[in-house]
Amino acid sequence: MTTETPEAKELALVGKVELRIALTDSDAKLESMLNTYLAPLLLKLASDHVSVRNKDTIQVIAVCQHINTRIKPPSIKLPIAALLKQYKDCHNAIVRHFDLLYIQQGIDRLPLQERLDLLPTLMHGLAENFEESPTHTASLFNVILKLLHYLGLPLRGSTEDVDLRLRLGLAERIPDAEFVASWLGKVILFTTSAPRTKSCPGLTAGDCDFLKLYGKNDLWTLAGPGISASGMNLTETKVISAKFLSSGAFTEAERFLPALYASADSNSRLSDIGEDMLKRATPVVSLEDHLLLTKLFTVYLGTRGATGSLPALRSLQTKILALLCRSRESASFVPQILQIVKEALGPQSQGYDHVGSQHFGTAPKQGLDLAKLRAQVFAFTNWVARMGSGESLNALAPTLVTDLRTYIEAQGWPRVNNAGPALSAGELSSRSYCYESIGLLAKACPSELLVEPNLDLLRWLFSSLSADTSGTDTSISIEQALSSVLSPFAKNTDEGVENALTDLLLHNMSLKLGDTGDDGNIVVRATRYVAVRFANRCLPFNNVKARYLDVLAHANGPNERGEVLEEGRRGLEPYWYRNLNPIESSPSTRNDISETSRYAMPNFVDLTQEFFDGQEKSMAVRQRLGFGFSSAITFCRCVLLHQALSSKYKSPVIDAEWKKNIDAMITNDETGRMEITTHLEHMCCTADERHCLSRFLYAALEGFTDSSLGDSDSSGTCLLEICSLSPGHVLDEMATRVSKLRDTIYSNRFSSRSIASHIFGILASRGESIGPDVDSLLHQFSKKIEKWSDSVGSEVHEVHGSVLSTAYFLSRRKYLKNDYSLEGNAELAFVRLVLTILSTGRDKELLDAATLAVDQLCLFGILTSSTIPVPYDVLSLVDKLKARAEGGDDNSVLTLGHLAMQCDEGDDVDTSALSRIITSLYDLHEKRQPELQFAVGAALSCAAAGWQSKSLVGLQDVDSGAIPRCASRSKTLDTILEKVLGDCKTTKPALRQGSVIWLLCIVQYCGHLAQVQSRLRQCQTAFKGFLADRESLNQETASRGLTLVYEKGDRDLKDDLIRDLVGSFTSTNVGLAGNVSSETQLFEPGALPTGDGSVTTYKDIMSLASEVGDSSLVYRFMSLASNNAIWSSRAAFGRFGLSNILSDSSVDGYLAQNPKLYPALFRYRFDPNTNVRSAMNDIWSALVKDPQSTINDHFDSILEDLLKNILGKEWRVRQASCAAIADLVQGRPLDKYEKHLSRIWTLTFKVCDDIKDSVRKAAMALARVLTAVLTRSLEAGDSSSNTAGVMLKEVLPFLLSPSGLESSAQEVQAFSLKTLLQIIKSSNAKILRPFIPDLVGRLLALLSSLEPQEINYLHLNADKYGMTAQQIDDVRLSSVRSSPMMEAIERCLDMLDDASMMQLQPSLEQALRTTIGLPSRVGVSRVLVSLSTRHNFVFKPYADTFLKFLRKQVLDRNDTISTSFAAASGYVARLASNDEVLRLFDYCKKLYFDSVEDDRHRTVSAELVSAIAKYATDRFASLANDILPFVFIAKHDPNERAKDLFSNTWNENVGGSRAVLLYLKEIVEMASPHLDSPRWSIKHTAAFAIADAVKSMGTEISNPNAEIIWPSLEKAINGKTWDGKESILEAFVTFAKHSDLLASNKQIADRMQSIMLRESKRKNAQYRQHALACLGDFVEICKVVDWYELVYDITHPVMLELHDDGNEMDVDSPNGGPSSKITSERTLANALRTLLKSIDPVLREPPRLTASLVQTLDLIRKALSKNDKIVKDAILDGEMALFKKLTKTELNDSLDSILTEYASTLFEMDDQAEQSRTKAAEAATTLAGWAPEQSQVHSRLTSGVKLALTQERSPSVRQKLQAGWKSLGYQD
């Protein structure tokens, strides 16, 4: 037997399969056959044998064609699973092609579950399939998309959701999961509305082809269900894709990009899902991943080209930029960043220019999306500028800055284009952002953009600031940009750039508003502040032009802005300059030369050359500097003196008191004064420096004598100081200008006169002889002094200046000439006049002048006891000066001291003048004036030491080479010292104070003398005796005295002093000031109030030492801290004090040996009492050399002590402990005190409820510090050891407790609220989520608790303030919406997940049940709204429950609360099930129809329905059949609020009036039962609804519809009359007119006629007028009946009644309707019109017709007699209708006669309106066309029309009359 080859077997197999398929005779057999053989048959197309494969291909294709014809019936199922498996396993393209064909054809025939079971197989290997065949993969992916529409996704977070990834097989196939997620994201991006391109925003042409199955353009639809015969709905597919992506099938990283795409979609259904996914995915994804960033940039920008992708939509671009702003790596994508900015700034008339245009034009009007995008682009630009590397920024910044400048200039720069449209708010915002970005970019790349010789960009920014007209916000941005570029210039070392910058700043400093700058732009904004700021920050201190800019800042004086003045002041102070320009690196690493040069003082010569241009230009200088002239003088003086002192002596300390430090050195430092004089002499050795010094002195003189140059006295003071220190030859030059001082000497200002007189004395005394100018002035002075007794007013000032000038001149002149005699009558006369003034004068100013004159003459040895002219003597002079001194005059005291210098030491001490003076000075101790006692001390030093006293250092302002004359001294100093030291021990308070001050002055001024040096130890003892004095002045003086003793002693003395001082403090023996018992009072009562006297006695203060626990240390510390109470006063440790001594020596290491002292001492530094606190701080500073290391070493012991004492018995201890803990934990690492945190919080909360207010405040301050620590911990994500969670468990209950947000103290409430917001804002979801359920509930309850009580009062008394309760509620509602607490609640909701939402449910339910108060109730409603909109995924499972809860809440009695809950119901209905929404609709119906409270509950029902329709539109539309019939009925509610809500709901959800036919049956069925309702409002509403339904049915009402509605209509019109029933009657007439029932159904017709007659006979006046009108309309409809008699019987009594009542008074309607008169007129008019309509010539025989016309005419005549327009118009309308009917009859005589009367009525109506005349003409025309020519009617019409034509002026009426004239047979 022959064996068949494999090829033959395969061919035979194919043939057998073909035969078997062909022989099948039923679909079932065919299906079974295909299940077995279809997949193997197709596999033969991939046979291994070429011959077989070639033959099989033809044969298999033939079989497939046969199969295709057999499987057309959809009942035949194909083996899809086998085919799909074969597709995945086989890689032959032909096999796959046929597999795919049958898969696509047969998959829809499978049951749904079988189809869904194929999803794992479909997804497996997709990534690999795509690489092999994108076309085939597209088909498979399309199948997946279709199946997703039917895939039921489990609840997120459920077990099924977690297992979904495993069930789909994606967990093991990561590439397939990434592929599916990626293409689902592309589906979200896909759009079919790209007309001119094959690609889409974010997608390439290939991507779009893939999703369109490579050419199937009808694959997608934009409307209809998800899947239909016409294709898949793209929107629904996107939503389904997003939901699938959000499931557990994908990881956060896989869904990140699709989530980003979805979040930016305009469809809220899609964006809500995307936002939720993105929020969860972002923390997981690394934004520093280069590949991810590349994808983001690619989507943003597109790939361009014919097949490339378009840029993303703006909303997505904005989202992408927001993510890029969180990535440092994104700043490295230089080309992409440049392209983003360029496109954002380019023309955007139609969105982004996708071609990539590179040009800029005027930006057109932009939309909100573009404004948002540009704002985000600028934010990204700022991010790049801050985070980019140097290399990136060097590549980016120049191009970006150019583009930004171009954009601004395209808008119009610096003035915005006025010709075009005004810039929108978005464009202005973009302009501001541009400026800010330019500043940041320029700062990041200064070498390329800023620090270049031309300063192009900086000039542009300055020009922008000065001339940009786009608004204040833009100017702020420009200033911010300029601030950004400060630092690069501050680091500049290029001299050329510095010079260019200086010139630019000088130019901008000179600009004024309205000026035209160098660039041609008009200045609209000053740039002075920025220019000065640049000068202070960018130019070195020694740059004289920079300092010139600072001077110019003061030029406008009080007219200048405060910030300009302040900035200028800082620039002239080296201390503040250094603060503005701190050194960035340590001294060891920085370039010392550059830093020194930056901080170096400017050269005095350069300054004077820059500030003062020379004498010939003094006027120009003064004008330019203005009020800044005095500032220039003062600064030059300080620089000159600083340089002089720094050259060979010690430099003045440069601190905030730099000027005062210089003043102190030149006043008290003799060596310093000598160095200054030497320096000035050296300056005079060179011509330039001498010239500059002279120029400065001239300028100072100008500034002093010209009050318009600012502070003239400061210039004069500077001049006086320099003159007193300058060499004589310089003063000789100045002396020639002494005449300029004349006016100032006579000035009305005391200070100016004093300074000018002093300068005059110095300058005029120079030279060998007196010049003519000086001589002339002295002569004038003499004349004025001689008239002193007669001077008044300003003459007194002149005498004062003359006395001082002469005294200064005479004293200096005599001293310089070394001639101390009073020569000539003039000198003696002057001295005599001065003494006379002093003796007899009464004017204080003259007495002051005389005293000062005596002082100067005595000081320089001119006036002595022997030279005093008669009749005066030295003793009388002493008595006079003593009297003045006792009055508190310091100058008189000093004058006594200077007079004593000229008195010899006599043998008879008691009677000598010197003794008298010294005794007089001692006697002044009774004056408790510290300033006076210091003057006495200086006077005593002068009396004791003469010119050797250092108090006279600054008074020798001229120098002849020798000291001025004074008496010699040998024993006076000893005597005075013994006296003062003895008085220091007295118990008399006044003398004790005076003595210690005098001793301080003697030590200070005479300490260099041997007599004092030998008594320093005694002085020390005396001073120590005052350290415990209860007078703080005495303590401070003693402290300063000890310091002086220490400074003036030698090394041995210093050591002995320290030993004695510390020994006295630490000794257990009696202290410095005697015995102190335990009850000795150390403080004044009330000085340290504690409430329990704890810091009043010695025993109480000693408790500080007792806390240590060391018995030996107790005694030491007792003496140290308590003995003499020196540590309880700040005075002993002031700026003079003991801390300097202690810090300069060793105190034998007490603290090192006794570490227990640290906790107590640390706590006492925060004592509530200022004195104790300050003293303890000084002890700490003096004894603890390294506080930081000390605290770190003893941290635990200090903290333990504080925690122990925070609950102590004494309030001050508790308060100090709180403050100490706050200071201790600040700035410390958390791990340092982490183990104590829980205890700290607990104790802090306890103290927050302390009985004492100050302790509570301290505890609150500590709580704030702890909150800051907690906030930083939360921000850092620090969750080690669950620290953050533990802290939250402690702090949150407190914040929500009565001690926190519920506290009665507003400051506590504010703190608690602020803290809570910080915690919620700073916490991440992981930490805060466990607390959210309770937190939200508590916050909601607190919304009402924190509302001010004034609101409730105002709500209850709204009428008193002209407001309504609703207005107040509206304000309350607005405040809740903007409340920070609601912001916190929203933040909590953002962190919800499924588990926490489950816990939140009971909390919210409890809040719904229990919260009271409008804020809380409204807050709950807003939470539900937020959950329904922003968190719908986690909230959806609970929507039904909350919707049910809300039914009761909407019945709240407050309308605002009810409305809020109704709105919340609408939002929640979005997520609720259909059954629950239907139950809510049923509840609304029940509430409307069955509620007892009529109006209110019906309004609530309306608000519920309206909310659902508005906020859950889709749900409402899907259930429209169930709710719209009810809405239609309810929209006729008599309540206006309910009516409006229902009406709006109906109008927005139906498509026209005839839509009522769709729901007619339901409307009738619902309304009909309520027509019998006992509640009138419901009954009327139902009746109105039936009436409206009739009116809405159109002009043709079908019989079925008519039969449906007729019973209800009949029921509605039955019954009594009520307001509004006329509309039912009108509907009744409409029904009769448009339906066939009146003609086809006799029974109904009879019933209608009966109803119509019944309603016409109603007596209600308001209703009757409408009923008669409707009767007329009904008569015209029902023409088969002769209505005249019936109508006449109805109308005749009415007309007679109204005619008889014509004279009754007109009465207004009580309901605001028409008055009684108008109602009567309308009733009469409608009656006549109806009666005329009822005359039917066809149905009435001629006699009866004539009779009816006669009857009617009689009624017409009577009605016309009332002359009412309404009645006349009605008659004309009725006659017109009658005349038209008459055209169908023939005219007889009787008819002719009566019609003639009717014709007459047309022309007998007087004073008719134009409308009435028109109607009359039309009626006449109608009648004329019928009347025969020979008839009476014709004749009457002819005469009437002819007459009317002659009288009528109206063109329209004449036209009607002419038509009638023609109808009569006449021509024009």
Side-chain angles (χ1 to χ4, degrees), residues 673 720-721 723-725 731 754-768 770 774 778 803-822 827 830 849 851-863 898 947 952-965:
R673 291 178 64 86
L720 175 60
E721 289 175 348
C723 286
S724 66
L725 297 170
L731 299 183
S754 300
I755 297 171
S757 300
H758 200 161
I759 296 172
F760 173 81
I762 294 174
L763 296 180
S765 61
R766 305 300 305 177
E768 294 297 327
I770 300 174
V774 175
L778 289 173
V803 171
L804 293 183
S805 299
T806 304
Y808 280 119
F809 168 77
L810 184 59
S811 59
R812 273 67 177 173
R813 182 72 179 177
K814 289 292 184 178
Y815 164 65
L816 290 174
K817 294 297 183 181
N818 199 23
D819 178 11
Y820 296 101
S821 62
L822 293 175
E827 295 176 356
F830 169 71
T851 302
L852 187 56
V854 171
D855 177 78
Q856 292 299 311
L857 293 174
C858 293
L859 183 64
F860 283 89
I862 310 304
L863 187 64
H898 297 162
W947 277 97
L952 303 178
V953 168
L955 299 182
Q956 189 172 353
D957 47 28
V958 291
D959 188 11
S960 66
I963 61 172
R965 184 179 68 174

Side-chain angles (χ1 to χ4, degrees), residues 1112-1321:
S1112 64
L1113 191 58
V1114 168
Y1115 291 102
R1116 286 194 176 206
F1117 197 71
M1118 184 189 307
S1119 180
L1120 178 66
S1122 302
N1123 199 1
N1124 303 299
I1126 63 171
W1127 306 112
S1128 66
S1129 173
R1130 171 64 176 151
F1133 289 85
R1135 59 184 180 275
F1136 306 120
L1138 298 178
S1139 57
N1140 294 331
I1141 298 176
L1142 292 174
S1143 63
D1144 191 46
S1145 61
S1146 171
V1147 288
D1148 51 29
Y1150 294 148
L1151 295 179
Q1153 301 172 16
N1154 299 275
K1156 292 184 179 180
L1157 277 174
Y1158 287 111
L1161 190 57
F1162 185 86
R1163 171 166 46 82
Y1164 267 82
R1165 292 174 57 217
F1166 302 92
D1167 193 90
N1169 182 269
T1170 305
N1171 290 336
V1172 175
R1173 183 170 64 250
S1174 301
M1176 292 303 167
N1177 272 315
D1178 283 324
I1179 295 176
W1180 177 271
S1181 300
L1183 302 182
V1184 180
K1185 301 302 181 183
D1186 189 356
Q1188 288 299 326
S1189 61
T1190 300
I1191 293 175
N1192 288 333
D1193 293 341
H1194 302 279
F1195 183 88
D1196 288 337
S1197 60
I1198 292 174
L1199 184 57
E1200 186 64 33
D1201 174 80
L1202 295 175
L1203 294 175
K1204 175 184 176 182
N1205 286 282
I1206 198 172
L1207 298 179
K1209 294 182 179 180
E1210 294 193 3
W1211 69 265
R1212 65 187 184 90
V1213 175
R1214 299 195 300 271
Q1215 183 172 334
S1217 298
C1218 290
I1221 293 175
D1223 182 81
L1224 187 64
V1225 300
Q1226 287 191 83
R1228 309 282 173 190
L1230 184 61
D1231 55 1
K1232 190 81 173 176
Y1233 53 91
E1234 181 178 355
K1235 59 184 178 181
H1236 301 284
L1237 259 180
S1238 178
R1239 188 179 172 197
I1240 294 173
W1241 274 109
T1242 303
L1243 294 175
T1244 300
F1245 297 159
K1246 289 183 179 180
V1247 186
C1248 281
D1249 199 26
D1250 197 273
I1251 192 172
K1252 186 163 182 60
D1253 180 65
S1254 61
V1255 179
R1256 291 197 302 271
K1257 291 181 178 178
M1260 291 301 298
L1262 173 57
R1264 282 192 287 271
V1265 172
L1266 295 175
T1267 300
V1269 172
L1270 172 59
T1271 303
R1272 289 193 296 271
S1273 175
L1274 294 173
E1275 290 174 347
D1278 184 5
S1279 57
S1280 60
S1281 303
N1282 295 321
T1283 300
V1286 171
M1287 287 191 291
L1288 284 180
K1289 288 181 181 178
E1290 295 288 344
V1291 71
L1292 285 179
F1294 163 71
L1295 294 176
L1296 299 172
S1297 70
S1299 298
L1301 282 171
E1302 297 181 8
S1303 172
S1304 58
Q1306 292 185 355
E1307 62 273 10
V1308 176
Q1309 287 184 1
F1311 158 73
S1312 301
L1313 179 58
K1314 181 179 179 181
T1315 302
L1316 194 59
L1317 294 179
Q1318 287 179 344
I1319 291 174
I1320 293 174
K1321 181 179 180 181

Side-chain angles (χ1 to χ4, degrees), residues 97 121 165 252 310 356 375 423-424 445 555 763 771 854 1021 1042 1063 1113 1417 1458 1553 1561 1586 1600 1675 1827 1842:
H97 175 73
T121 309
R165 185 174 178 87
E252 301 293 357
L310 297 176
L423 296 182
S424 65
C445 186
L763 296 180
V854 171
T1021 303
L1042 286 173
L1113 191 58
R1417 303 282 284 167
S1458 176
S1553 61
K1561 183 177 180 180
I1586 295 296
V1675 165
K1842 183 176 182 181

Side-chain angles (χ1 to χ4, degrees), residues 1547-1569:
N1547 294 333
E1548 291 171 2
N1549 289 277
V1550 298
S1553 61
R1554 289 182 61 82
V1556 72
L1557 294 175
L1558 297 174
Y1559 313 102
L1560 180 62
K1561 183 177 180 180
E1562 292 82 358
I1563 291 172
V1564 173
E1565 289 176 351
M1566 187 179 295
S1568 185

